[in-house]
Amino acid sequence: MVVGTGGLVALPGPSLILDLLAGPRAFLLVWQVQGFARELEYRADRRGWEAVRHAGYGAGECVPALERLQSDEQELLAEAQVREPYFYGDHPATADRIEGMRTWLQAEPVPLVNDERSRQRTVYHEETFAVRLEVVATNMTVRRFERARLLIDQEIAVSPQRAEVHVALGDWHRRNPKQRDFEAAAAAYRHALELDAHFAPAHRELGLLCWEEHNASCARTHLQRYLELAPTALDRGIVEGIVRTLAEGSP
């Protein structure tokens, strides 16, 4: 399993190991597995969080971060998306890593950082906002809608005035096959536009939703506005084609 901007990603299980062992570079895999000792993982954790602390962030957040990782692992296992949570067999369980980090924090109290180097929570949240929305989108792409909704609700609680969050909520209502609700999706898109009338993605999504519901006037209004606000959009040709179809009165 690896961690990317989209969260946890399951890797193939034992069959992949067997394929690699049968290849010409089998000795490299054996060397990597044997060399990936548990103590090295614990040491890597400590080094990573020491770097975080020196950058001005609170190292006390390392345990909640690992707990979130553990929660993701448990969710994937419950959904039967993976059989073995780690690619390397002797990789320590996240529960052990959490306990190791707690021991480290108790043995080495975290000193207060200088005011000039401390990072305010709001600054951190702003800097990582786009990444978190990408995680939301990725979860919806892989049909983990419950997880996506949890993340969306967290973002709305922290940033209720961000149009992007409400567009994500609209996408959730529109794409969730178990709880699809076009009316709620439209309300979320319209709320996004109330917060920022120039937010092009909200016009696009509302326009496409209106098109799906055969509301030509609404679709044309918002899609044309999207084209005005995003003249270099990669999907401009597609949207222009829809607008032309609407102008011609085609279904």
Side-chain angles (χ1 to χ4, degrees), residues 24-44:
R25 298 291 186 269
F27 71 94
L28 291 175
L29 178 65
V30 173
W31 175 78
Q32 285 181 310
V33 171
Q34 290 177 340
F36 202 72
R38 298 170 74 89
E39 179 54 36
L40 291 179
E41 180 68 14
Y42 296 136
R43 189 181 304 172

Side-chain angles (χ1 to χ4, degrees), residues 124-126 128-137 151 155 159:
Y124 174 80
H125 188 272
E126 183 66 26
T128 59
F129 182 75
V131 174
R132 291 196 306 279
L133 284 189
E134 183 180 340
V135 172
V136 169
L151 297 174
E155 291 302 318
S159 303

Side-chain angles (χ1 to χ4, degrees), residues 72-228:
D72 268 5
E73 292 171 356
Q74 293 171 344
E75 185 175 343
L76 282 174
L77 289 169
E79 294 174 359
Q81 293 191 30
V82 294
R83 287 172 292 174
E84 167 59 42
Y86 293 106
F87 185 70
Y88 295 113
D90 65 348
H91 186 99
T94 304
D96 294 336
R97 294 173 64 192
I98 292 172
E99 187 59 32
M101 292 306 298
R102 284 177 175 152
T103 301
W104 171 63
L105 289 172
Q106 291 174 357
E108 300 184 22
V110 180
L112 295 176
V113 297
N114 295 331
D115 290 341
E116 294 181 357
R117 298 179 62 195
S118 64
R119 305 290 193 265
Q120 297 295 327
R121 182 178 297 273
T122 53
V123 174
Y124 174 80
H125 188 272
E126 183 66 26
E127 292 294 326
T128 59
F129 182 75
V131 174
R132 291 196 306 279
L133 284 189
E134 183 180 340
V135 172
V136 169
T138 300
N139 274 279
M140 285 195 282
T141 298
V142 299
R143 304 178 71 81
R144 297 180 68 195
F145 286 97
E146 290 185 7
R147 178 66 175 173
R149 182 57 187 267
L150 174 64
L151 297 174
I152 291 170
D153 289 344
Q154 290 175 348
E155 291 302 318
I156 290 177
V158 177
S159 303
Q161 300 302 312
R162 295 291 297 260
E164 298 97 316
V165 177
H166 295 281
V167 169
L169 177 60
D171 291 343
W172 187 88
H173 284 298
R174 187 165 148 219
R175 295 172 57 185
N176 187 348
K178 294 182 179 180
Q179 300 184 47
R180 184 168 289 132
D181 186 338
F182 284 177
E183 185 175 345
Y189 294 143
R190 293 187 188 281
H191 186 57
L193 290 174
E194 290 174 1
L195 295 171
D196 184 357
H198 296 87
F199 189 56
H203 284 286
R204 178 190 61 205
E205 299 308 321
L206 182 54
L208 292 175
L209 177 59
C210 290
W211 182 47
E212 291 176 31
E213 295 202 293
H214 308 291
N215 187 338
S217 176
C218 169
R220 187 165 51 248
T221 296
H222 288 286
L223 292 179
Q224 287 177 337
R225 184 57 176 152
Y226 168 68
L227 293 173
E228 294 171 1

Side-chain angles (χ1 to χ4, degrees), residues 14-30:
S15 61
L16 176 60
I17 302 294
L18 295 176
D19 291 343
L20 291 174
L21 285 173
R25 298 291 186 269
F27 71 94
L28 291 175
L29 178 65
V30 173

